[in-house]
Amino acid sequence: MSRPHGIPLPSARRSSDSNETESAFDDDKQGQPRPREGVRQLTGAERVRTLVESNASVSLTLPGAHDTHELAEFGTGMPAARTVTPDGDVILLVSGESAAARAAAHAQDDDLTAVIEITDVAPVSVPHRIRGRAWLAGWLTPVRGDERAACAALLAERHPVGELLGMSESLDAPYTGRPAWMLLRLEVGEISVDDLWGAEHVEPEDLAEAEPDPMVAYESELLQHLHSAHGDRLGELCGLLGAREADGMTAVPLALDRLGLRVRFTGGAGGSFDARFDFPEPVADICGLRRAMHTLFSAASH
């Protein structure tokens, strides 16, 4: 089955130019600081893949569903976990009683269109706390047959949630009614991301080839630790900003990936701004991150 195209992404607003996506975080409208410096960054596909593999909030809508009464009564349900297959499909674990599971149970290859919306919120309190959103649209079907065990194992490897315990055994058990949990597959046809780096479209093939950022599993805890225990050290980073004046402003850690740390400076007369501090080299694990942060703080203290 060819991948679908042209499925509307309901939360993405279009500008007058049909080839340009208007940012949900436009500076003049929302006040969300944007990067002004030419720093290294993850690709759009890497950012979307990282969001899919993160614990960010996710919603699932079914613009292609016909039974709108059932959708209103049950809701589509919040997926308990999700991951990406090597082919670029998104696997979702949903309640068997959800409207998404009910609708997908009767769907064929291209019957049911669906949109996943992921909302990324900073794990620390900061102005303009929503860091970004991603939308993935495509065709939704149940994971069937022998693929269920393989997809359950892939999902359990990435997200060892309790709902997956015993799923492999239940796949071979006699059918006794609606399952407690169902695996769904979204064959992705259109992707859009609007985050701290800007708004762009991502090709599904690029998502399949991208890897999630290695810091995704630790980012929330690390940012909260930096904020609560090392606020003074973060404030010292203003010394690396050159002509940009941040004295007297509060430094809040906003985002972290393998390439660097983003800090939001707030409380100044001119409002808030973001500064991105690149690591000397990309980090692959917590040990590498400790070395990179030590180098960064050492540079700021001299």
Side-chain angles (χ1 to χ4, degrees), residues 21-290:
T21 301
E22 181 181 353
S23 170
F25 302 126
D26 186 271
D27 287 352
D28 296 332
K29 298 179 180 180
Q30 300 292 341
Q32 179 72 272
R34 289 290 199 180
R36 303 302 185 190
E37 60 273 59
V39 298
R40 295 175 296 170
Q41 61 177 287
L42 305 182
T43 66
E46 288 175 325
R47 296 185 336 253
V48 173
R49 179 67 184 266
T50 299
L51 283 177
V52 173
E53 302 287 0
S54 74
N55 293 322
S57 174
V58 61
S59 64
L60 175 65
T61 58
L62 307 177
H66 301 293
D67 192 344
T68 56
H69 173 74
E70 182 176 274
L71 292 179
E73 181 179 357
F74 293 99
T76 54
M78 298 285 288
R82 71 265 182 179
T83 192
V84 179
T85 70
D87 294 330
D89 297 336
V90 178
I91 301 299
L92 303 167
L93 178 67
V94 301
S95 167
E97 293 296 330
S98 67
R102 292 167 180 257
H106 305 288
Q108 299 301 318
D109 286 347
D110 57 357
D111 282 352
L112 185 62
T113 57
V115 178
I116 299 171
E117 180 174 346
I118 304 173
T119 302
D120 181 30
V121 180
V124 295
S125 180
V126 65
H128 314 297
R129 194 166 179 176
I130 295 179
R131 300 187 298 187
R133 290 187 174 92
W135 299 267
L136 300 93
W139 306 130
L140 193 69
T141 55
V143 178
R144 297 185 171 98
D146 295 339
E147 291 186 335
R148 288 182 295 174
C151 288
L154 177 64
L155 198 58
E157 177 185 346
R158 304 285 176 81
H159 301 279
V161 294
E163 291 82 355
L164 283 166
L165 295 176
M167 174 170 278
S168 59
E169 288 81 2
S170 66
L171 295 177
D172 299 323
Y175 182 74
T176 57
R178 190 177 299 278
W181 297 95
M182 180 180 287
L183 288 172
L184 303 181
R185 179 193 305 275
L186 183 76
E187 186 179 9
V188 181
E190 187 173 354
I191 304 169
S192 181
V193 61
D194 188 359
D195 59 11
L196 295 168
W197 297 105
E200 63 181 282
H201 292 285
V202 174
E203 293 299 326
E205 294 78 8
D206 294 336
L207 178 68
E209 297 175 358
E211 291 291 337
D213 188 81
M215 295 295 104
V216 62
Y218 315 105
E219 187 200 21
S220 293
E221 182 179 355
L222 291 170
L223 291 179
Q224 290 168 351
H225 175 71
L226 284 172
H227 184 51
S228 62
H230 299 288
D232 55 337
R233 304 296 302 275
L234 289 170
E236 293 176 358
L237 294 177
C238 67
L240 300 176
L241 298 180
R244 178 175 280 170
E245 184 61 56
D247 289 343
M249 300 184 72
T250 300
V252 182
L254 181 66
L256 175 71
D257 56 51
R258 72 178 186 272
L259 299 177
L261 171 71
R262 182 189 295 265
V263 176
R264 180 157 295 170
F265 290 87
T266 66
S272 61
F273 67 88
D274 285 4
R276 171 78 175 191
F277 300 93
D278 284 351
F279 297 145
E281 59 184 23
V283 299
D285 51 33
I286 293 297
C287 292
L289 177 64
R290 289 196 185 101

